[in-house]
Amino acid sequence: MKRPSPEPNPHVAAMSAYVPGEQPQGGGWVKLNTNENPYPPSPAAIEALRTAAGDAGSLLRLYPSPDASPLREAAAKAHDFPAGRVVAGNGSDDLLNLLIRAYAGPGRPVGMLDPSYSLYPVLAAAQGAAVIKVPISDDLDFDDARVADCGAAVFFLTNPNAPLGVSFTSARIAALAGRFPGLLVVDEAYAAFSDDDCVSLARDLPNVVVTRTLSKGHALAGLRAGYALCPEEVASVLHRVRDSYNLDRVAQAAAAAALLDDAWLRRTVASVNGTRARMVAALTAIGWRCVPPHGNFILAEPASARRPASSETSAHAFEFLKSRRILVRRFPGHRLTERCLRVSVGTDAEADAFLAAAREWSAEG
Ligand code: PMP
């Protein structure tokens, strides 16, 4: 008889893994389900990636900079932020994990807005930390006092919010940070597509960390690079708990070059935001209500003459789009998202394919 494997820690035995969006491996899909950037990354990043590997990969023999100094210097320059207070991560998910590892645990709960990024509860569970969810209301706002007094050791404020797409002002978050006694992490994965950010708060306040990713604005999701802008003490804490070589040599170099190519970023964000505005106008015209977007995605509520907005209608529209090889994302587990589809902003051609299928669904609906 086969011997059973040993049990993991009880809190790990009780938890479930994060469920990422579908990553279809075959071609032929219009993939608008995981908020990737539809454009290729900065050519400077690709050049840097080749150089970092060395001739015939010769430099891959060597360990990379342990603290990702090329990336940290570039992020410091891009944000006019002290390099010594930038901590690099293997994607911003790595930093979210490190923040929870260092600041949360049994008796030190993790706070978050609900809905927001569904990875936070998974990371909290792995750490044996409880989760406190502060609800977002039907008018897509939240009560600052509930956050300030929630008792979390670390609170994740996703701004712009995902999956809703709404944004909260930096002035408001600054006031909130003053009232909240714990560590306030502003997860700015989508900030490149917004016109406000909290970088100055991380620069000036002792309890605000801003996390950023290269996955969205910089089109490098396949590389896995992110960073946190931290108060000095927080940076030193994160360095204690991170892996000693948490970013590979190639990722460090490409991310650094991408961060320094500001012209590329501005051009790409302008394209994405232009397509975003066109998609919102076209969806609104066929009766799909859209949350005003601040990221590179749109939360839209499909509805047609025969099918009023509902969870079933959104499932129906999802399947219809899928039958046309257009992949979007559903979040059926929450009252604010169950009637909706989250659609990443693609190229103009992808947007046109999606809009044509959405119109077809609405007409047949
Ligand atoms: N934060 C939010 C709110 C996200 O949506 C994502 C991407 N799914 C991340 C962080 C993680 O990004 P990365 O690719 O840098 O790990």
Side-chain angles (χ1 to χ4, degrees):
M1 201 169 63
K2 198 165 164 275
R3 242 176 95 191
S5 297
E7 282 289 315
N9 291 330
H11 64 278
V12 175
M15 68 178 277
S16 312
Y18 174 72
V19 183
E22 220 174 313
Q23 303 293 356
Q25 295 305 311
W29 286 93
V30 174
K31 190 173 176 305
L32 302 176
N33 69 330
T34 47
N35 298 346
E36 286 133 332
N37 194 313
Y39 298 107
S42 156
I46 303 314
E47 182 61 33
L49 180 154
R50 290 212 179 89
T51 309
D55 281 342
S58 55
L59 293 175
L60 297 179
R61 294 178 308 107
L62 304 173
Y63 281 104
S65 162
D67 62 356
S69 47
L71 192 164
R72 290 174 42 245
E73 297 289 341
K77 201 158 171 219
H79 298 292
D80 187 21
F81 199 89
R85 290 164 45 189
V86 181
V87 179
N90 196 257
S92 58
D93 284 349
D94 184 24
L95 294 156
L96 304 175
N97 189 28
L98 295 175
L99 286 159
I100 287 183
R101 189 183 294 170
Y103 287 92
R108 295 177 60 95
V110 171
M112 62 184 280
L113 294 181
D114 182 34
S116 64
Y117 188 24
S118 57
L119 179 69
Y120 311 135
V122 176
L123 299 175
Q127 184 74 9
V131 176
I132 297 168
K133 293 186 176 180
V134 174
I136 294 187
S137 55
D138 289 351
D139 57 354
L140 307 186
D141 204 351
F142 68 90
D143 179 350
D144 297 49
R146 280 185 77 166
V147 174
D149 303 333
C150 74
V154 52
F155 194 96
F156 290 91
L157 205 158
T158 320
N159 199 42
N161 177 276
L164 298 175
V166 288
S167 166
F168 307 107
T169 69
S170 53
R172 175 178 177 183
I173 296 171
L176 178 59
R179 296 168 64 186
F180 177 63
L183 188 67
L184 184 62
V185 178
V186 188
D187 178 344
E188 292 195 340
Y190 297 101
F193 305 97
S194 170
D195 47 17
D196 190 12
D197 66 54
C198 289
V199 170
S200 67
L201 276 51
R203 203 182 283 123
D204 299 336
L205 302 178
N207 66 331
V208 174
V209 171
V210 163
T211 56
R212 289 282 182 120
T213 177
L214 277 286
S215 298
K216 314 292 180 184
H218 295 87
L220 291 169
L223 204 62
R224 312 305 301 134
Y227 53 94
L229 306 173
C230 311
E232 191 153 357
E233 290 77 12
V234 178
S236 126
V237 164
L238 295 182
H239 279 304
R240 266 181 250 161
V241 295
R242 69 178 175 81
D243 290 349
S244 38
Y245 299 101
N246 60 335
L247 255 97
D248 67 73
R249 165 181 293 276
V250 167
Q252 290 184 26
L259 282 167
L260 295 175
D261 193 351
D262 194 42
W264 181 93
L265 181 67
R266 274 194 261 163
R267 224 172 28 243
T268 306
V269 165
S271 294
V272 169
N273 286 358
T275 307
R276 182 178 79 181
R278 196 164 69 77
M279 288 170 76
V280 168
L283 289 173
T284 308
I286 59 169
W288 292 32
R289 284 201 314 162
C290 298
V291 174
H294 292 83
N296 65 339
F297 58 90
I298 299 163
L299 193 75
E301 202 177 69
S304 70
R306 275 195 26 225
R307 294 178 196 275
S310 70
S311 185
E312 294 69 35
T313 295
S314 115
H316 188 270
F318 177 91
E319 292 302 334
F320 180 89
L321 292 167
K322 199 165 181 181
S323 75
R324 301 293 188 272
R325 293 190 80 72
I326 294 167
L327 206 53
V328 299
R329 187 99 174 247
R330 281 193 74 221
F331 295 91
H334 196 281
R335 75 179 200 293
L336 292 179
T337 53
E338 64 181 0
R339 294 184 309 276
C340 301
L341 299 177
R342 194 196 68 184
V343 187
S344 307
V345 177
T347 59
D348 279 316
E350 288 171 330
D352 286 340
F354 161 72
L355 290 171
R359 284 193 197 97
E360 195 188 339
W361 177 86
S362 286
E364 284 182 12

